[in-house]
Amino acid sequence: MGEIKIGRMLLSAMCVVACASAATALRVGAGIADVTGPPAEVAFMGYANFEQVGHGVHLRQFSRAFVFEDEGSGQRVVFVSVDAAMMGNGVRKEVLKRLQKRYGSVYTEQNVILSGTHTHSTPGGFLMDFLFDLPILGFVKETYAAYIIGIYKSIVMAHSKLAPARVEYGEIEIVDANINRSPTSYLRNPPEERAKYKYDTDKTLAQLRFLSPSNSIIGVINWYAVHPTSMNNTNKLISSDNVGYAAVLMEKELNGNNTQPGKGNIVCAFASTNLGDVSPNTRGPRCEYSRAVCDQESLLCKGKNERCFASGPGRDMFDSTRMIATKLFEGAMKVLEQPGEDVTSGPVGMVHQFVEMPKQEAYVFDPLTDTFNTSAKVHGCLPAMGYSFAAGTTDGPGLFDFRQGTVSGNPLWNAVRDFLAEPTPEDVECQAPKPILLATGRMKFPYEWQPRVVSCSVARVGGALLAAVPGEFTTMSGRRMRRLLASTASTAGATHVILAGLSNVYSDYIATYQEYQAQRYEAASTIFGPHTLEIYLNKYKELTEALLNGTPVEPGPSPPDFSDQLITLVPPVLWDAAPWGHEFGDCLRQPRSRYSWGDTVTATFVSGHPRNSIRHGRTYMTVEKLVSEQDDAWTVVATDADWDTKYIWKRNSKILGTSEAEVEWEIPEGTPPGTYRLHHYGNYKYILGGIYPYHGFSDSFEVT
Ligand SMILES: *[C@@H]1O[C@H](CO)[C@@H](O)[C@H](O)[C@H]1NC(C)=O
Ligand SMILES: *[C@@H]1O[C@H](CO)[C@@H](O)[C@H](O)[C@H]1NC(C)=O
Ligand SMILES: *[C@@H]1O[C@H](CO)[C@@H](O)[C@H](O)[C@H]1NC(C)=O
């Protein structure tokens, strides 16, 4: 009896310690805000195709923020996943400036990670490095402002919702949602190393979920390695692509099916990780016309000017986006429904350092023993891009296709091409075997072309370690990093290592030393030379040890600020006008009177320029259902952020300032029968100045 009593007392004493720490030690808050960029006349970032200029919205862009606080130490970490191609230091600096104005020194460069999902269908022009803004025709202040304000708002919301929470880890294998787009490069890695893995891409979706003391869900972050390039480079509607739609689906499921995208309390992110060589186009590369499987190595097809690109699994890019998103969403829901591993215990903290890559020295890494050879030293190079970079990938062929002269149609390119710098013999030797196409590290006109200083950080939330990296790690690069950090951190109780891709600064790709020798696209875009990955492995091990031991690290050199030198050729909106006899918001082409499930309803309205107001947190259109004829009361069933709707803007005459908005709704299965209408919202710029809102309805129609 006595023994049992002691046992019981011991048990309850243990629970007092464990339960108390679980109940009070960690606080988590999640927030979401609209970050949609200017939806017209701004080129998309990702495919570097300056003809891919947006003219509407399919899915809105959101910023999803998670704030973690260790109540004991007061330490905080912020992780934000943004529906954007990547993040840049300028955006982070401005977000921090606004946070500091509001909260003092709570949020700094030392504890905030901004990670881009890497969607290729969102407006660019927000980075301060010239190469990345070149295809966009320069810097675009509207994109920059949209991202800064939205990210800031999402963090403010997460901050205000901080509450006691637990963290659970879970994972699942999703085998049919990605393929390797450079499989021959992957094969360059040592066979003994490859033998540790079943696939040539990572198939594991890793999930951290945050639960209140009463087990209700606060938020979920999922990491799955895949390029958000289901929407290809012919798409001109803003889209958060496969991962963005997966997030919308999961939020809808958890917040209730009537919640509009971006408006729910529970926030679910699908964030980027080691997606460098990973494509969602699971049917693989085929020739454009003959549909023959094309040569992986050369990407060439038999026909003259016949391109080789990958697609699938759907019948078109929308269908493919929906299918990949659904696989990710369903996988993540399965993990959520399974019991997870509680990883709450352990501190919250982060170390951050700016690192000047060309100046770094590192030890050679042995991928068979996962150790460094301390008698073999290597170093970084000035940034440079190799020739294969110009050929593009099977996800987006012909990037910067210099040979076919597509870049020469770009007025910004014409203005700068005579200022290109020659690589020096040291550059050539340092980057070998990469044949240098652009010695970006030596190009100073009009300002820095690619970063030399990158942002490196390692964060810890209980038993999870987050390595936030400034670029796109390939599959094997990511695996090496995770193996190394897992062995460094496991004794300290941080057992799950997650790579957070495209964080804070964008420095292109990171291929392994062996992949670098093959010089395919990812290797040609590994800008700091053959030992780029080894430098990161040395650095992240050092940072992880500092984090675990609580030793401070040097802040490193701040990246240069070019904000007063930026060039833009994107013209401002001049004015808007309605055609003779019409007002803004007039419906020019009405829908039919009757539709059924699966039909697409279309209406066209007299429109202003969408760049007059991005309508953050609002919408350019709604689908409305009549709920009471007597009171003329309508309820919103969809906005421009929903999958089933499209908002397409068309300029009719630049001189007259006339334009049209086409609003579409594909009626989903299960839509209740009734009376519906389409509603368009916009803002016009008056010729004598001032911006004014307008709106207009279509005639009503029946869904039967
Ligand atoms: C939303 O709809 C789906 C399928 O129609 C259903 O399985 C799910 O339970 C619904 N979710 C909520 C919160 O109502
Ligand atoms: C993009 O997808 C569309 C189908 O949605 C297809 O017709 C087109 O050929 C694709 N183009 C490229 C370059 O992938
Ligand atoms: C370490 O590097 C040195 C110098 O390159 C080399 O001679 C030695 O064989 C390497 N050691 C191992 C264990 O690979």
Side-chain angles (χ1 to χ4, degrees):
M1 280 303 273
E3 260 182 53
I4 289 170
K5 212 171 179 182
I6 290 165
R8 264 205 201 133
M9 276 168 63
L10 254 178
L11 252 177
S12 61
M14 273 169 65
C15 187
V16 167
V17 176
C19 301
S21 69
T24 61
L26 179 70
R27 297 204 307 156
V28 178
I32 182 166
D34 195 340
V35 287
T36 306
E41 294 178 340
V42 178
F44 288 167
M45 181 75 201
Y47 292 113
N49 176 355
F50 78 100
E51 286 170 357
Q52 193 192 5
V53 176
H55 68 173
V57 179
H58 182 220
L59 298 172
R60 271 187 184 258
Q61 300 169 250
F62 294 105
S63 169
R64 296 178 168 88
F66 301 84
V67 176
F68 307 99
E69 186 196 32
D70 183 334
E71 272 198 311
S73 67
Q75 292 285 322
R76 286 187 185 203
V77 167
V78 180
F79 177 80
V80 188
S81 174
V82 188
D83 288 328
M86 64 280 293
M87 282 288 110
N89 193 56
V91 169
R92 190 166 74 126
K93 226 169 112 176
E94 289 298 322
V95 169
L96 288 171
K97 215 192 255 173
R98 283 161 178 75
L99 288 171
Q100 283 163 6
K101 216 164 153 191
R102 183 160 182 153
Y103 302 117
S105 56
V106 176
Y107 302 111
T108 66
E109 268 160 356
Q110 304 305 313
N111 65 1
V112 174
I113 298 169
L114 307 184
S115 167
T117 62
H118 204 38
T119 160
H120 281 42
S121 286
T122 53
F126 60 97
L127 296 180
M128 301 219 172
D129 290 293
F130 190 69
L131 179 67
F132 305 133
D133 284 346
L134 180 56
I136 321 293
L137 300 186
F139 180 78
V140 183
K141 209 170 157 191
E142 292 154 89
T143 314
Y144 193 57
Y147 291 1
I148 290 162
I149 294 162
I151 293 168
Y152 165 75
K153 278 189 181 162
S154 68
I155 298 173
V156 168
M157 185 193 255
H159 174 105
S160 72
K161 281 167 50 184
L162 270 173
R166 290 188 303 112
V167 191
E168 286 184 359
Y169 176 86
E171 60 180 45
I172 194 169
E173 230 180 45
I174 304 173
V175 293
D176 54 357
N178 69 15
I179 60 167
N180 195 307
R181 69 182 190 191
S182 290
T184 52
S185 288
Y186 179 85
L187 288 176
R188 294 289 187 112
N189 294 305
E192 302 89 328
E193 184 184 28
R194 284 188 278 114
K196 293 180 188 170
Y197 302 95
K198 193 165 165 197
Y199 302 103
D200 63 359
T201 59
D202 283 331
K203 304 285 186 186
T204 302
L205 178 142
Q207 181 180 89
L208 287 180
R209 55 188 185 241
F210 315 107
L211 308 167
S212 77
S214 61
N215 274 336
S216 57
I217 300 165
I218 296 168
V220 184
I221 314 176
N222 304 285
W223 284 271
Y224 184 81
V226 69
H227 253 74
T229 48
S230 289
M231 297 301 287
N232 69 35
N233 65 9
T234 65
N235 169 46
K236 294 180 179 174
L237 300 178
I238 287 180
S239 172
S240 52
D241 210 293
N242 46 36
V243 289
Y245 184 42
V248 167
L249 283 170
M250 194 165 184
E251 285 166 349
K252 213 161 212 156
E253 178 80 17
L254 297 178
N255 286 307
N257 290 324
N258 294 327
T259 317
Q260 286 165 19
K263 304 283 189 194
N265 202 35
I266 301 170
V267 180
C268 305
F270 285 74
S272 64
T273 177
N274 54 328
L275 51 64
D277 50 357
V278 190
S279 167
N281 297 314
T282 52
R283 207 179 286 135
R286 300 203 175 240
C287 293
E288 192 171 5
Y289 308 118
S290 66
R291 306 308 296 158
V293 174
C294 38
D295 179 21
Q296 282 280 4
E297 204 57 49
S298 65
L299 304 184
L300 291 179
C301 294
K302 285 213 181 79
K304 197 166 178 261
N305 290 332
E306 185 180 8
R307 295 171 308 169
C308 162
F309 56 77
S311 64
R315 61 180 180 275
D316 59 25
M317 59 181 162
F318 289 97
D319 199 36
S320 297
T321 304
R322 185 188 56 75
M323 286 176 73
I324 298 293
T326 304
K327 287 175 200 291
L328 301 185
F329 157 65
E330 285 173 352
M333 284 307 297
K334 244 185 230 155
V335 184
L336 192 67
E337 282 151 14
Q338 286 161 8
E341 175 190 341
D342 194 300
V343 293
T344 314
S345 70
V348 169
M350 175 166 147
V351 289
H352 174 269
Q353 189 171 57
F354 284 119
V355 177
E356 189 167 2
M357 290 297 284
K359 292 209 172 141
Q360 296 303 304
E361 291 198 326
Y363 296 122
V364 167
F365 181 75
D366 179 353
L368 303 184
T369 58
D370 291 346
T371 54
F372 294 104
N373 180 346
T374 50
S375 44
K377 250 192 175 169
V378 290
H379 57 89
C381 314
L382 279 178
M385 299 295 266
Y387 270 83
S388 308
F389 153 72
T393 71
T394 48
D395 282 345
L399 263 112
F400 275 113
D401 197 338
F402 290 79
R403 286 153 305 169
Q404 288 179 31
T406 51
V407 167
S408 65
N410 177 331
L412 191 51
W413 173 256
N414 291 346
V416 299
R417 88 183 135 196
D418 298 339
F419 292 88
L420 294 190
E422 288 250 9
T424 66
E426 300 88 81
D427 295 340
V428 173
E429 196 195 321
C430 189
Q431 295 272 358
K434 179 196 286 175
I436 298 178
L437 174 69
L438 296 172
T440 48
R442 301 223 175 258
M443 291 156 51
K444 305 243 159 54
F445 182 86
Y447 41 87
E448 185 182 80
W449 277 54
Q450 283 187 306
R452 293 182 193 198
V453 176
V454 298
S455 155
C456 299
S457 48
V458 181
R460 177 174 183 180
V461 176
L465 197 76
L466 218 60
V469 297
E472 308 179 45
F473 275 53
T474 62
T475 300
M476 195 58 102
S477 290
R479 287 171 173 173
R480 284 186 193 171
M481 179 68 92
R482 289 202 308 261
R483 291 202 307 262
L484 177 69
L485 299 192
S487 72
T488 309
S490 63
T491 49
T495 45
H496 298 289
V497 179
I498 293 162
L499 199 81
L502 297 115
S503 294
N504 297 340
V505 166
Y506 183 63
S507 63
D508 291 85
Y509 286 78
I510 298 90
T512 68
Y513 176 79
Q514 292 79 10
E515 290 161 0
Y516 190 89
Q517 308 308 310
Q519 279 300 306
R520 274 180 60 92
Y521 179 82
E522 294 81 12
S525 308
T526 295
I527 64 175
F528 302 113
H531 302 292
T532 304
L533 174 63
E534 280 158 312
I535 295 169
Y536 283 126
L537 292 173
N538 281 259
K539 183 51 74 183
Y540 278 78
K541 184 173 163 63
E542 177 192 322
L543 295 180
T544 302
E545 283 166 349
L547 175 67
L548 299 177
N549 300 334
T551 45
V553 301
E554 292 287 321
S558 283
D561 185 349
F562 306 104
S563 51
D564 53 0
Q565 284 164 267
L566 302 169
I567 292 178
T568 182
L569 298 184
V570 176
V573 178
L574 297 177
W575 65 78
D576 293 299
W580 180 251
H582 282 290
E583 307 259 355
F584 289 104
D586 278 3
C587 189
L588 296 171
R589 274 185 290 283
Q590 294 285 358
R592 300 198 311 255
S593 57
R594 200 166 289 278
Y595 293 90
S596 355
W597 295 350
D599 288 348
T600 300
V601 188
T602 310
T604 306
F605 296 88
V606 175
S607 171
H609 200 301
R611 271 166 54 203
N612 291 327
S613 165
I614 303 175
R615 305 189 66 82
H616 272 183
R618 295 175 295 158
T619 178
Y620 288 107
M621 56 97 45
T622 53
V623 179
E624 299 172 355
K625 182 174 190 292
L626 184 65
V627 285
S628 157
E629 195 154 2
Q630 209 168 9
D631 307 331
D632 191 30
W634 298 75
T635 179
V636 172
V637 300
T639 70
D640 65 11
D642 276 285
W643 177 264
D644 309 311
T645 61
K646 293 191 183 90
Y647 158 75
I648 302 164
W649 180 78
K650 284 181 195 144
R651 171 61 92 194
N652 288 342
S653 163
K654 211 164 195 160
I655 297 165
L656 299 177
T658 51
S659 59
E660 290 177 5
E662 188 180 300
V663 170
E664 279 185 25
W665 180 40
E666 194 183 325
I667 304 171
E669 228 167 86
T671 300
T675 305
Y676 291 80
R677 69 181 180 191
L678 300 178
H679 195 163
H680 164 57
Y681 296 87
N683 297 74
Y684 68 91
K685 190 167 189 177
Y686 185 48
I687 193 161
L688 300 179
I691 288 175
Y692 303 93
Y694 69 85
H695 69 120
F697 311 105
S698 72
D699 290 346
S700 61
F701 54 89
E702 300 299 315
V703 173
T704 54

